[in-house]
Amino acid sequence: MTDAINKCSANETAACCCVDVGTVVDNTDCTASWSGLFADRHAAEAMLKHLSDRARQVESEPCDIRPKLENEAEGVRLNIDFIFACQAESLIFQLGLR
């Protein structure tokens, strides 16, 4: 058992060689991006409002929401970047959309 403990890296726990949460959630990526194609601008704006409301439920500090609407042959493309105060909020937001 000692050999297994010694083989774990500094980012793994000695008990099971699992990755430490601090290795995954290190606050380097606080942005959640979302994209969707809609039939018209009204539908895209409705989704923007829905997703913005969801982001506001997660934020501890104001989330910087950066939407971009683009006309395409098939409809209107909505691209949004949600920039949260910390990576944990970004993950919670993304998991809530699943």
Side-chain angles (χ1 to χ4, degrees):
M1 187 68 164
T2 305
D3 292 332
I5 292 172
N6 291 334
K7 290 180 183 176
C8 291
S9 72
N11 294 329
E12 296 174 327
T13 61
C16 66
C17 292
C18 300
V19 176
D20 180 54
V21 173
T23 303
V24 178
V25 181
D26 59 2
N27 269 345
T28 58
D29 185 11
C30 300
T31 302
S33 297
W34 189 93
S35 181
L37 182 63
F38 297 88
D40 56 42
R41 188 174 188 89
H42 179 72
E45 288 174 348
M47 179 57 82
L48 172 59
K49 180 181 180 339
H50 171 73
L51 294 173
S52 296
D53 290 345
R54 300 275 307 257
R56 299 291 179 220
Q57 293 173 354
V58 173
E59 67 186 2
S60 62
E61 295 179 18
C63 177
D64 183 8
I65 301 172
R66 299 180 183 181
K68 185 174 182 184
L69 294 163
E70 299 174 332
N71 291 321
E72 294 186 1
E74 302 83 19
V76 177
R77 167 93 37 206
L78 172 61
N79 295 307
I80 317 170
D81 286 332
F82 298 90
I83 304 169
F84 290 91
C86 67
Q87 189 174 6
E89 292 174 354
S90 176
L91 288 171
I92 292 166
F93 173 74
Q94 292 176 68
L95 291 172
L97 297 180
R98 292 180 178 214

